[in-house]
Amino acid sequence: MPASSTPSPQTEQPAAAFDELTDVDLHLDAFYPGGTKGNISDDPINKLVPKVGNQGGFRLAGSPWNQDVRLAVLYTTGRERDWPDALDPQTGTFTYYGDNKKPGHELHGTNPGGNLLLRNVFAASHAGPEERRRIPPFLLFEKAGATGRGVRFRGLLAPGGPALTSDDELAAIWRTTGGERFQNYRARFTVLDQAVIPRKWIQHLIHGGNSLEGGCPNAWRTWVETRSYLPLTAPATTVIRSQAEQLPSDPNSREILATIREHFRDREHDFEPCAVELWRLLAPATGQVEVTRRSRDGGRDAVGQYYLGPPADRIAIDFALEAKCKSPDQAVGVKEGSRLISRLRHRNFGVLVTTSYFNQQMQKEIRDDEHPVVLICGRDIVELLRQHGYTSKTAVEEWLAKRYPAPASGTRVARDE
């Protein structure tokens, strides 16, 4: 999912003028404008958080090599397709990729040492309070607007999360570019429930003060002392998505979705096992799934189980899945939704996956009647693939060819009609 869906700064009031940024507190989701000189001095982050520099994704007060980082800024554009940083506002989880984004460097050998910092702070986060006191607070900023250097403050971050294992929190992942393999970190943070970051605390940290003093926010103090997360969660108030919100907006994303449709052209029913795998990427606790024969599917393209609970005492919830490989101008409507709902048994849930979008009437009926149906649209598919490393047309083509090879030319696939 994208890092932000907030409005353009051209339509809103800045939190302060550019010349006033050195004196303001940081307010959650507030927009802070850049300067107007047309050069790097227009960067607002170095005014909001002095001594962290004005370039790059990691902006640090201190050095990871000297282990004296006092405050860390993470900056994201939210638009890097190969490294899709993402904020989930409903859970408060933020996924961030490290700074080894090209071949030629060892995992921890980058400048300014962002990956080294990630390794150190995630390890220290699982130690006692004394070790956590040495972890610098992380402040998250996101590029705001299509032009200029304006940013939006997205929150105070703590490494890890309440529902994540240590492997989920920080993972070294492989990528391939030009035939060369290299590693980078995927790190997951929690946005803490703190609406305002006091200017006093920022200045205190910059000058080397203890992070638990100088106006320390309660959410940060709680995390350091107990490793208890107080996440900022924001359940969605709008559950009916428009067509534009369900289809990719950029050319690369549209190309990825078109690649999937083209792969299954004239054999759209073969998309069903692919839809099952997409669901597995989204819901890894999914167990056994059976793709049904068309003559016996009872209105369900696949049936399976989703597991809850500890490994020694799990329970299984049955679900039914339907897949619709459609072009972007073909909506999935009430008929398709009703067909799946009518096949759900007591205590089952449904999954509906489409390469297009769901019309508003269908969404409204499902949500108003509280049917337990998950809706996965075209944009969701693209963002899900990106989160798992399939960030280009070529990567998706290779994935499809390997997992779902097309029948040999002239071969008719036998199916139960």
Side-chain angles (χ1 to χ4, degrees):
M1 52 198 69
S4 173
S5 58
T6 48
S8 166
Q10 283 80 6
T11 64
E12 62 183 325
Q13 184 68 29
F18 181 72
D19 294 337
E20 300 171 346
L21 298 185
T22 55
D23 300 319
V24 299
D25 297 333
L26 295 179
H27 292 262
L28 192 71
D29 287 343
F31 166 65
Y32 297 95
T36 58
K37 293 182 179 180
N39 57 43
I40 202 167
S41 67
D42 292 342
D43 181 76
I45 293 178
N46 198 39
K47 285 182 170 291
L48 292 164
V49 190
K51 302 186 184 299
V52 299
N54 50 20
Q55 296 186 72
F58 285 92
R59 306 189 185 189
L60 311 176
S63 166
W65 311 105
N66 297 331
Q67 298 187 29
D68 64 357
V69 178
R70 305 178 298 280
L71 183 61
V73 165
L74 298 185
Y75 171 72
T76 179
T77 64
R79 301 166 188 170
E80 241 186 293
R81 73 184 192 190
D82 291 333
W83 305 100
D85 302 334
L87 172 62
D88 183 349
Q90 296 191 54
T91 64
T93 301
F94 175 62
T95 301
Y96 191 73
Y97 289 86
D99 56 1
N100 191 35
K101 297 182 177 180
K102 295 180 181 179
H105 297 281
E106 188 268 332
L107 178 61
H108 303 112
T110 53
N111 184 39
N115 278 0
L116 180 63
L117 178 66
L118 291 177
R119 184 193 70 181
N120 292 343
V121 300
F122 276 85
S125 74
H126 289 275
E130 288 300 322
E131 290 296 318
R132 285 195 293 275
R133 287 191 183 98
R134 300 187 180 96
I135 295 177
F138 286 77
L139 302 176
L140 174 60
F141 290 89
E142 179 187 10
K143 178 177 174 58
T147 60
R149 294 180 177 269
V151 298
R152 193 179 312 283
F153 176 59
R154 301 295 266 159
L156 171 64
L157 305 178
L164 300 173
T165 67
S166 57
D167 288 343
D168 291 331
E169 291 178 346
L170 185 67
I173 58 175
W174 288 97
R175 289 286 190 268
T176 302
T177 297
E180 295 185 75
R181 293 174 294 178
F182 63 104
Q183 279 185 304
N184 195 17
Y185 276 132
R186 182 185 62 216
R188 291 196 168 101
F189 295 82
T190 295
V191 181
L192 299 179
D193 190 358
Q194 188 68 37
V196 180
I197 305 301
R199 167 63 41 184
K200 175 184 176 182
W201 191 51
I202 294 174
Q203 296 290 0
H204 174 77
L205 294 169
I206 291 295
H207 290 95
N210 187 316
S211 70
L212 300 185
E213 301 173 354
C216 172
N218 290 332
W220 181 258
R221 182 186 305 280
T222 298
W223 181 79
V224 169
E225 293 180 343
T226 67
R227 205 176 185 272
S228 296
Y229 293 86
L230 301 175
L232 177 66
T233 58
T237 56
T238 302
V239 294
I240 307 300
R241 293 188 284 180
S242 67
Q243 178 180 350
E245 290 172 324
Q246 296 180 73
L247 293 173
S249 58
D250 63 279
N252 175 257
S253 297
R254 290 195 293 267
E255 190 175 49
I256 288 175
L257 205 55
T259 297
I260 298 173
R261 289 192 297 266
E262 179 61 25
H263 186 80
F264 294 105
R265 184 164 60 88
D266 297 330
R267 56 187 188 101
E268 282 74 15
H269 291 292
D270 290 349
F271 174 63
E272 294 162 9
C274 178
V276 170
E277 184 156 353
L278 290 168
W279 168 246
R280 283 191 185 277
L281 293 179
L282 183 65
T286 298
Q288 182 178 357
V289 179
E290 177 188 359
V291 177
T292 59
R293 295 183 180 182
R294 292 194 62 211
S295 61
R296 304 177 184 176
D297 66 6
R300 302 166 297 178
D301 294 331
V303 291
Q305 293 183 320
Y306 183 80
Y307 290 106
L308 297 172
D313 188 22
R314 285 183 171 175
I315 62 171
I317 301 176
D318 293 334
F319 70 89
L321 180 146
E322 278 218 44
K324 301 296 178 185
C325 189
K326 290 175 173 282
S327 64
D329 59 347
Q330 294 179 305
V332 176
V334 172
K335 179 180 178 181
E336 291 93 337
S338 299
R339 183 171 180 263
L340 175 60
I341 291 167
S342 68
R343 268 62 176 186
L344 295 181
R345 302 187 182 101
H346 181 54
R347 294 180 178 175
N348 285 190
F349 69 93
V351 180
L352 193 46
V353 184
T354 182
T355 55
S356 62
Y357 69 100
F358 305 99
N359 72 24
Q360 294 203 7
Q361 182 183 355
M362 180 263 210
Q363 295 179 73
K364 190 173 187 306
E365 290 189 9
I366 285 179
R367 298 306 175 220
D368 286 352
D369 294 337
E370 298 183 347
H371 293 298
V373 175
V374 179
L375 302 178
I376 301 174
C377 63
R379 177 175 289 196
D380 298 329
I381 290 174
V382 173
E383 292 173 355
L384 186 60
L385 289 171
R386 281 181 168 169
Q387 288 291 329
H388 287 80
Y390 306 106
T391 60
S392 67
K393 174 184 177 182
T394 300
V396 172
E397 283 177 336
E398 292 174 353
W399 177 69
L400 290 168
K402 180 179 180 180
R403 302 288 294 177
Y404 314 102
S409 180
T411 302
R412 183 182 183 275
V413 179
R415 301 190 66 86
D416 294 81
E417 297 293 348

